[in-house]
Amino acid sequence: MIKNLGELKASGYVSKSIKDELRDNLIKHMEAGTTVFEGVHGFENSVIPELERAILSRHNINLLGLRGQAKTRLARLMVNLLDEYIPYVAGSEINDDPLNPISRFAINLLEEHGDQTPIAWLHRNDRFAEKLATPDVTVADLIGDVDPIKAANLKLSYADDRVIHFGMIPRANRCIFVINEIPDLQARIQVALFNILQEGDIQIRGFKLRLPLDVQFIFTANPEDYTNRGSIVTPLKDRIGSQILTHYPESIAIARKISSQEARINTAQSERVYIPNLAFDLLEQIIFEARQSEYIDHKSGVSARMSISMLESLVSTAERRALLNKEKQTTVRLADFMGIIPAITGKVELVYEGEQEGAAFVAEQLIGQAIKTFLPGMFPKIEKLSKKIEESPYSNLLEAVFSDGGIVLYDESTDKDYQSTLDELKPLKALVSKYQPETLAEDRYFVSEFVLWALAEHHKLGKERLQDGFQFKDLLGIL
């Protein structure tokens, strides 16, 4: 391990700016056909190519998108494009490059010790700094200020630049610095970033001080037409090299991949609870319905975190039932989707009409709409009006439900009782076998329950919420 400046020079080390470092390492990945953006799905043909172009161009970057679009994750993954270790002058507050020092401390140390100047090594994981922009952030926090205690202890005048206490940005010299939600930063604070972005230097309390900082800036922001808290001032936007728009997953398959990856479901839960394929798709469809719902503010967006929370709640709902029934294994049921409502209500911004209806009502509407959306791709379309009930593929099933006076699916019933109740409806089993013959055996009961819920959503069956379950019966019987 190199420990002083002389050894570093002898090794042939060449200084490199952080933007060149990111660029060179990205080129190596591209030539090798690998990526550092592992775990980010759905951006392969949109966001990531734009991000790579920005890095190749040595630009500071603004990631613009609604909440829950992996903006911060992309920024953090860029750390993997840094060299594993870089040398810096030992003791330097701002990670001075030994071959190109910029602080008075490092310059004086090099003059005093020459090639014996001690060198330390900084790992790439320590070269990432992040600040959430809030209205209380000050110029002193970001840039620095005069430290009267340091002046008193060193017996220095306030005119001496050694009394400066560096802020977060100078301390992030030769690092990636992320400011999240940049519009929240007061305009006068944004102005303080102008020089750093354009000339690469800082000004502190009128000191005639030039520190040519080497920082890769990444900003994140929501679209400015949404935020009520402020906006990015125009001269600052002008100094940001690339603005990249992020987006939500464009297909259920991608959304499922993200939820499965991010949900905190441990091995014990996975072994105890089985999630049918249709249940997983329905869960993700709820998010797509929410992003189109008239009750939800589209400008606010619906975060992917909602999908993750819903998956965790769905598994926990089934797990709780299995624990109460002392069952080692169980399968998610459609009624378990009532357990995900708390994961929805706190994560959507409702418009006035939605507030009037109530968050729980809106959540139930989203679940129902997801069911209606999936039905035509699996079973015959349910017509609103039909001349003769015999003409409907569902007529035998409806007659069976009506003749039995309806059926009740209890929330906490054992798997055996739940399956037995559905098995009693022979036309239901025949319907699933006819239109979904390739359904897995472990998915069959969920698909069967799905048919009942779909008929209820299309007002062919009545669905009444009981204290401990759902009753499906003649629609007229519950009006």
Side-chain angles (χ1 to χ4, degrees):
M1 177 68 74
I2 295 171
K3 296 183 179 179
N4 61 49
L5 181 58
E7 294 176 2
L8 184 67
K9 290 178 178 177
S11 71
Y13 174 78
V14 177
S15 294
K16 186 187 295 184
S17 73
I18 186 170
K19 289 182 169 65
D20 282 326
E21 189 181 333
L22 291 166
R23 171 187 162 84
D24 291 347
N25 289 327
L26 174 61
I27 290 172
K28 290 178 184 176
H29 276 283
M30 295 180 76
E31 289 176 342
T34 57
T35 180
V36 296
F37 300 107
E38 293 290 345
V40 177
H41 306 291
F43 288 172
E44 294 83 359
N45 299 312
S46 53
V47 177
I48 290 177
E50 291 189 358
L51 191 55
E52 289 173 342
R53 286 192 284 270
I55 294 169
L56 292 172
S57 302
R58 305 178 187 84
H59 285 173
N60 292 312
I61 299 165
N62 182 30
L63 296 172
L64 185 68
L66 297 173
R67 54 184 173 159
Q69 291 186 350
K71 299 187 295 295
T72 304
R73 167 163 289 198
L74 285 171
R76 289 175 178 167
L77 286 172
M78 280 182 61
V79 170
N80 296 324
L81 285 173
L82 297 172
D83 293 340
E84 187 173 6
Y85 285 96
I86 60 166
Y88 70 100
V89 177
S92 169
E93 292 181 86
I94 61 173
N95 308 317
D96 277 284
D97 184 343
L99 301 182
N100 187 27
I102 59 174
S103 71
R104 176 187 280 218
F105 166 83
I107 293 170
N108 290 345
L109 196 66
L110 283 163
E111 288 178 354
E112 181 180 350
H113 297 286
D115 284 352
Q116 296 304 311
T117 302
I119 300 299
W121 293 85
L122 191 65
H123 192 265
R124 61 182 165 214
N125 290 340
D126 298 320
R127 297 175 63 194
F128 180 87
E130 187 174 2
K131 178 63 179 171
L132 176 63
T134 53
D136 61 334
V137 173
T138 64
V139 174
D141 294 333
L142 293 179
I143 311 298
D145 204 348
V146 171
D147 185 348
I149 297 175
K150 184 184 287 188
N153 288 341
L154 298 176
K155 297 180 180 180
L156 296 171
S157 159
Y158 283 173
D160 193 313
D161 62 15
R162 285 174 290 179
V163 304
I164 292 173
H165 174 78
F166 292 114
M168 292 184 70
I169 292 177
R171 291 174 183 273
N173 185 39
R174 304 173 74 200
C175 299
I176 295 172
F177 190 82
V178 178
I179 301 182
N180 283 313
E181 306 302 339
I182 185 70
D184 286 358
L185 212 57
Q186 293 183 44
R188 63 185 181 84
I189 312 299
Q190 293 184 39
V191 169
L193 300 176
F194 289 0
N195 260 39
I196 299 174
L197 288 172
Q198 190 64 42
E199 286 80 24
D201 62 10
I202 62 169
Q203 300 171 1
I204 298 176
R205 289 286 184 182
F207 275 102
K208 190 177 181 181
L209 174 71
R210 176 172 171 79
L211 287 182
L213 297 176
D214 180 24
V215 182
Q216 170 67 53
F217 282 97
I218 302 176
F219 304 101
T220 73
N222 285 328
E224 291 177 56
D225 59 347
Y226 154 63
T227 177
N228 297 317
R229 299 158 296 188
S231 62
I232 306 176
V233 297
T234 304
L236 181 61
K237 284 196 292 186
D238 185 50
R239 287 166 165 81
I240 300 172
S242 291
Q243 178 169 279
I244 298 171
L245 301 179
T246 57
H247 57 82
Y248 288 121
E250 295 174 346
S251 70
I252 285 179
I254 293 173
R256 276 185 63 163
K257 191 179 292 186
I258 295 170
S259 300
S260 301
Q261 174 182 285
E262 300 299 324
R264 292 168 294 183
I265 298 173
N266 61 29
T267 305
Q269 289 176 301
S270 298
E271 291 176 351
R272 188 184 292 271
V273 179
Y274 171 73
I275 307 175
N277 189 55
L278 176 58
F280 221 141
D281 286 347
L282 276 175
L283 191 79
E284 299 301 341
Q285 184 62 36
I286 291 170
I287 289 278
F288 286 81
E289 300 295 342
R291 290 173 186 149
Q292 299 173 5
S293 172
E294 61 182 352
Y295 294 122
I296 294 173
D297 185 356
H298 298 165
K299 292 181 181 178
S300 172
V302 181
S303 170
R305 285 183 283 269
M306 183 171 117
S307 176
I308 296 163
S309 296
M310 288 194 303
L311 177 57
E312 293 167 347
S313 295
L314 183 65
V315 171
S316 297
T317 303
E319 181 186 28
R320 178 180 178 274
R321 181 183 63 250
L323 291 169
L324 291 174
N325 292 329
K326 296 179 172 56
E327 294 175 325
K328 291 185 177 180
Q329 289 184 319
T330 191
T331 300
V332 164
R333 305 172 188 173
L334 220 163
D336 293 336
F337 276 67
M338 295 299 103
I340 71 173
I341 289 177
I344 300 175
T345 54
K347 284 187 166 57
V348 291
E349 297 266 352
L350 302 178
V351 296
Y352 177 76
E353 291 80 0
E355 295 284 1
Q356 294 297 105
E357 295 289 355
F361 170 84
V362 173
E364 290 182 19
Q365 290 292 306
L366 295 176
I367 295 169
Q369 190 58 47
I371 292 169
K372 291 172 75 172
T373 298
F374 260 89
L375 181 76
M378 300 180 63
F379 293 93
K381 183 179 179 182
I382 299 176
E383 301 294 341
K384 289 185 179 180
L385 298 173
S386 55
K387 295 179 180 179
K388 295 181 180 179
I389 195 169
E390 288 78 18
E391 295 175 356
S392 169
Y394 303 99
S395 57
N396 291 337
L397 172 58
L398 293 172
E399 287 177 2
V401 175
F402 298 160
S403 63
D404 289 342
I407 65 165
V408 178
L409 296 175
Y410 293 101
D411 296 337
E412 311 300 347
S413 63
T414 63
D415 278 4
K416 182 178 179 181
D417 290 342
Y418 167 75
Q419 293 171 7
S420 176
T421 302
L422 291 174
D423 283 339
E424 290 175 4
L425 291 172
K426 304 299 183 185
L428 180 57
K429 184 176 181 179
L431 193 71
V432 173
S433 299
K434 179 178 180 180
Y435 293 103
Q436 292 294 316
E438 298 179 1
T439 301
L440 298 174
E442 54 267 36
D443 290 15
R444 184 166 62 86
Y445 289 101
F446 184 89
V447 175
S448 299
E449 187 184 0
F450 168 81
V451 174
L452 296 177
W453 280 69
L455 288 168
E457 289 297 329
H458 284 85
H459 306 295
K460 296 298 183 181
L461 267 181
K463 175 169 66 71
E464 183 179 9
R465 177 61 178 167
L466 306 178
Q467 186 174 359
D468 54 355
F470 284 96
Q471 182 178 30
F472 296 89
K473 57 188 291 187
D474 184 351
L475 184 64
L476 297 177
I478 63 170
L479 293 178

